[in-house]
Amino acid sequence: MPDLMNPAFVYIAAALLLPFIPQGTWRMAAMLLVPIAGAAVFWNLPYGNHGVFNLMGMQIGLMRLDALSYVFGFIFSLAAFLTTIYAWQVRDTVQQIASVLYAGSAIGAVFAADLVTLFVFWEGTALASVFLIWARRTEGAYATGLRYLIVQIGSGVLLLAGVILLYLETGSVAFNKMELGSLATWAIFVAFGIKCAFPLLHNWLQDAYPAATITGTVTLSAFTTKLAVYALARGFPGAELLIYIGVTMTLFPVFFAAVENNLRRVLAYSLNNQLGFMVVGIGIGTPLALNGTVAHAFCHILYKALLFMSIGAVMYRTGTAKASELGGLYKSMPLTMIFCVVGALSISAFPLFSGFISKSLILSASANTGHYFVWIGLVVASVGVLEHSGIKIPYFTFFAHDAGHRVKEAPPHMLLAMGLTAALCVGLGVFPSTLYGILPYVVDYQPYTTTHVVTQLQLLFFAGLAFAILMRTGLYPAEFRSINLDTDWTYRRLVPAVLRALSAFIDATWRWTTLVGRRRLDVFLTGIYRAHGPQGILARTWPTGSMVLWIAILLGTTLVLTYV
């Protein structure tokens, strides 16, 4: 029997016990201890594979601890801790169990040493996380959750198919670096890409995250896509295709985020944008680039959670997250406003905030490897980040026009979670060596050089100036109730409409064919009846001589056909 070393089993055990703990403070305190106990499993564990055993000829490893899995395991544990504080007021057993299992599955996948274990926890994240959407208990949430589940399960099916094909090709299921040279590795690559929200595979993210509960959205933002980033960094570092996929990911959400009215959906598009930076780093594949990907994933989990927390707190008090219905809340919710601004400055990569010390690694790596057009694309995308997340989110929520909301400040537990997360965003920005010291590769890098700081401040200044000019001239997209079409329109509206039209055409064709066929059959049967019916010509009494004559003619015809 293998040692159950994976921290995921701590979360699974906690999920089984939670229903038996009284609802309220005791249960939430127990949930708060789960990520601490899970982190204790690997905190001082030596690097290497643990919980290794043989399963039907396959080498299974429940726990692989190295520099890469350690960082992701640590930040996932920290995210689970912070989101539990934020959700302290939740008294929904479904959400509580789903949150614990979801975080545990993500952490379990990070430490998987083989693709079979990865698949099990990969599907675990899909099955657990969908309940954070369904927990909203609206008709729209149920429909959205079903679409989300289909996509996530589809990703798992592709992963399983790839694992089976890879085992048939190599005889191994080890989760190591792979090359895009076979159907097996392509299937695994696409499976990772779906969960990472690659372009044209991304719509589930903007569809599902805003549909989840207030606390569920914060939890969702931390795990699913970053698990995919980890999987790509583990399985396909240096795959050049990822560079161009990543650049596309950074650029295309900018427009959608600019015109979107729902601020939680704006943050979902922004999440897509930030994933693009990480994917570029994986594609470049140098130690500096991979360090940048890991660092950016670490920082992104924090500042994106902080932004979702702040908008969630606003939604908790006002009942809406739509920019057209918000504004002027800095008077009622000043602390939430401050924390939101910290998140906005972090995602915009202002110096002394966490985004600056992680994003600069990826930008430097792209320039150092000669990917100058990629570097330009990332710089342009950075301008977009400042516009739609750095300015738009806090401006339209807390400033802009006064929507007349006079509400209480966010609850204490939400303020505590946001305060701790904001402190981490600032702390990492001021003391980058704290994060750099646990990155997978030893790289001597100094983010606070004069060139880096001045270049970034210039970029941010002119981007802010452009926003101000657009607002003053009325050219910036107005915030109003609207439905913005994305590529999911093709399979949610266009494809069903085409299928309905095709079905109607086939139905009409079948009815016409049936009608014509029946008429022809009626004519044929009428003719047969006329010939063979009681009054038909063939039913009459024929003289014997005529019968003999016709038989002779038929026999003669047969002989001619036989011998000719």
Side-chain angles (χ1 to χ4, degrees), residues 215-229:
T215 55
T217 300
V218 177
T219 307
L220 286 169
S221 72
F223 298 112
T224 296
T225 51
K226 261 61 73 182
L227 171 59
V229 167

Side-chain angles (χ1 to χ4, degrees), residues 116-309:
V116 174
T117 304
L118 176 70
F119 166 75
V120 171
F121 289 119
W122 191 269
E123 292 293 71
T125 60
L127 294 173
S129 59
V130 72
F131 286 96
L132 298 176
I133 302 170
W134 284 339
R136 200 168 179 184
R137 294 176 173 86
T138 65
E139 185 177 350
Y142 285 124
T144 301
L146 186 59
R147 291 192 296 269
Y148 171 84
L149 187 62
I150 290 171
V151 172
Q152 297 301 315
I153 293 297
S155 170
V157 170
L158 267 178
L159 175 59
L160 179 61
V163 172
I164 293 172
L165 292 173
L166 187 66
Y167 181 70
L168 293 175
E169 290 176 7
T170 65
S172 172
V173 292
F175 185 21
N176 296 315
K177 181 179 179 180
M178 295 170 275
E179 299 292 338
L180 288 173
S182 67
L183 182 60
T185 53
W186 273 106
I188 294 171
F189 181 81
V190 174
F192 292 171
I194 292 173
K195 223 175 187 72
C196 196
F198 280 2
L200 303 182
L201 303 175
H202 68 282
N203 301 112
W204 62 265
L205 197 159
Q206 289 79 28
D207 186 28
Y209 284 20
T213 63
I214 290 174
T215 55
T217 300
V218 177
T219 307
L220 286 169
S221 72
F223 298 112
T224 296
T225 51
K226 261 61 73 182
L227 171 59
V229 167
Y230 165 81
L232 288 168
R234 174 73 69 184
F236 298 97
E240 188 175 5
L241 178 62
L242 288 173
I243 299 175
Y244 309 108
I245 291 175
V247 172
T248 305
M249 289 174 71
T250 64
L251 293 171
F252 86 84
V254 172
F255 168 77
F256 291 104
V259 299
E260 179 57 55
N261 185 42
N262 187 323
L263 295 180
R264 295 210 296 176
R265 188 168 283 114
V266 171
L267 290 175
Y269 277 115
S270 171
L271 198 156
N272 234 150
N273 161 276
Q274 295 296 292
L275 290 170
F277 286 91
M278 304 173 210
V279 171
V280 168
I282 297 169
I284 294 173
T286 63
L288 179 63
L290 292 173
N291 270 0
T293 291
V294 176
H296 204 52
F298 193 104
C299 294
H300 176 262
I301 287 174
L302 294 173
Y303 61 64
K304 184 63 68 175
L306 180 57
L307 288 168
F308 272 117
M309 285 178 184

Side-chain angles (χ1 to χ4, degrees), residues 512-526:
W512 179 83
T513 304
T514 302
L515 180 62
V516 172
R518 285 179 178 174
R519 289 177 178 174
R520 296 291 175 87
L521 182 61
D522 288 343
V523 172
F524 175 73
L525 292 177
T526 300

Side-chain angles (χ1 to χ4, degrees), residues 504-543:
F505 173 76
I506 293 173
D507 182 62
T509 303
W510 175 255
R511 284 190 279 107
W512 179 83
T513 304
T514 302
L515 180 62
V516 172
R518 285 179 178 174
R519 289 177 178 174
R520 296 291 175 87
L521 182 61
D522 288 343
V523 172
F524 175 73
L525 292 177
T526 300
I528 293 294
Y529 182 80
R530 288 174 179 172
H532 292 276
Q535 303 301 321
I537 188 172
L538 295 178
R540 298 173 185 173
T541 301
W542 287 67

Side-chain angles (χ1 to χ4, degrees), residues 281 284 286 288-290 360-371 445:
I284 294 173
T286 63
L288 179 63
L290 292 173
S360 58
L361 288 165
I362 300 172
L363 289 169
S364 296
S366 62
N368 293 347
T369 53
H371 293 92
Y445 184 80

